[in-house]
Amino acid sequence: MIGVQEKARDLSTGVHIGQSAETLHRISDAACAAAIWDRPPLPTFQSWIDALPPAQLPSARVILPAQAVMDAITTICNAAQTPDCIERTRLIDDIAALADIFAGVMATPYLRLRLACVTTNSCRKFHLDAVTARLICTYRGTGTQYGVARDGADPTRIINTPTCAPIVLRGSRWPTHPASGLVHRSPPIEGTGEARLVLVLDPIDDPEDAL
């Protein structure tokens, strides 16, 4: 494994990394396969979310307009009995903000939102998603892993996206395809006792077609 900042200097990956939300808009650049907003988690927030019992982590899969995300996540947190505190408010506000940013990046009227507590080797194989692009943000646990695949083999160098750092990845339905061969996976954690909280956003043009 190598650090994200080291990989940022390796332009062969086609990954753009920056310290502001504007970095996520780089996904539209011709040679960009992924964009990462490299932001450190707030220590108080991270301590809080890391200490929550997995049963109290919000979990849901919905299709909705970006402007409806805040109310939806509040309802989802209530259903999971996620403790109502300033840290929960930060989580809700951040998910709503990422939804708004991603909807703007993709110029999409609707989003498919998935919020999941992951404790198994979900999506453990390196792959390219069957979407135009996808935003992933791991709020708790090990972040999404990515690397460059050659000739169908797994990457020889695997990079972890930092916890709380959103990554936007092009999928197989992007109109043009960079030659980077960038693929990604969920980190294999089964048997470790780790519980990840992962947000996934996909652009949806017509919610009727996405059901």
Side-chain angles (χ1 to χ4, degrees):
M1 305 289 181
I2 62 177
V4 69
Q5 290 298 342
E6 179 183 347
K7 197 62 177 179
R9 296 192 294 270
D10 184 356
L11 299 181
S12 65
T13 63
V15 178
H16 290 279
I17 302 171
Q19 280 69 51
S20 74
E22 288 302 311
T23 305
L24 301 180
H25 290 264
R26 298 291 300 274
I27 196 66
S28 296
D29 291 1
C32 183
I36 297 174
W37 176 9
D38 186 21
R39 55 177 190 171
L42 294 173
T44 53
F45 170 82
Q46 205 59 52
S47 296
W48 170 78
I49 201 164
D50 288 348
L52 281 181
Q56 290 186 329
L57 294 173
S59 180
R61 183 185 178 99
V62 293
I63 294 173
L64 72 178
Q67 62 268 27
V69 167
M70 182 174 290
D71 287 345
I73 296 298
T74 300
T75 300
I76 292 162
C77 284
N78 288 339
Q81 298 185 339
T82 308
D84 191 357
C85 57
I86 190 170
E87 289 80 15
R88 188 181 96 153
T89 300
R90 287 186 186 277
L91 176 65
I92 294 170
D93 288 349
D94 194 71
I95 293 173
L98 290 181
D100 184 65
I101 292 168
F102 187 58
V105 168
M106 299 303 298
T108 183
Y110 294 92
L111 297 169
R112 178 190 291 113
L113 182 152
R114 178 164 57 89
L115 196 57
C117 175
V118 181
T119 58
T120 63
N121 290 346
S122 171
C123 296
R124 70 184 185 276
K125 294 184 178 181
F126 282 100
H127 64 282
L128 192 65
D129 293 314
V131 294
T132 50
R134 171 169 288 176
L135 182 147
I136 304 173
C137 185
T138 304
Y139 286 103
R140 167 172 160 168
T142 308
T144 296
Q145 296 180 332
Y146 65 89
V148 177
R150 303 295 185 196
D151 301 321
D154 284 347
T156 55
R157 293 195 296 172
I158 300 171
I159 306 95
N160 285 337
T161 307
T163 303
C164 279
I167 179 171
V168 175
L169 298 130
R170 286 187 182 182
S172 62
R173 296 179 183 174
W174 189 269
T176 58
H177 303 285
S180 65
L182 193 78
V183 291
H184 67 280
R185 72 175 181 183
S186 295
I189 60 170
E190 192 165 347
T192 65
E194 181 176 344
R196 304 170 63 233
L197 180 63
V198 183
L199 169 71
V200 177
L201 297 174
D202 296 331
I204 299 294
D205 290 328
D206 187 343
E208 295 297 327
D209 292 341
L211 295 177

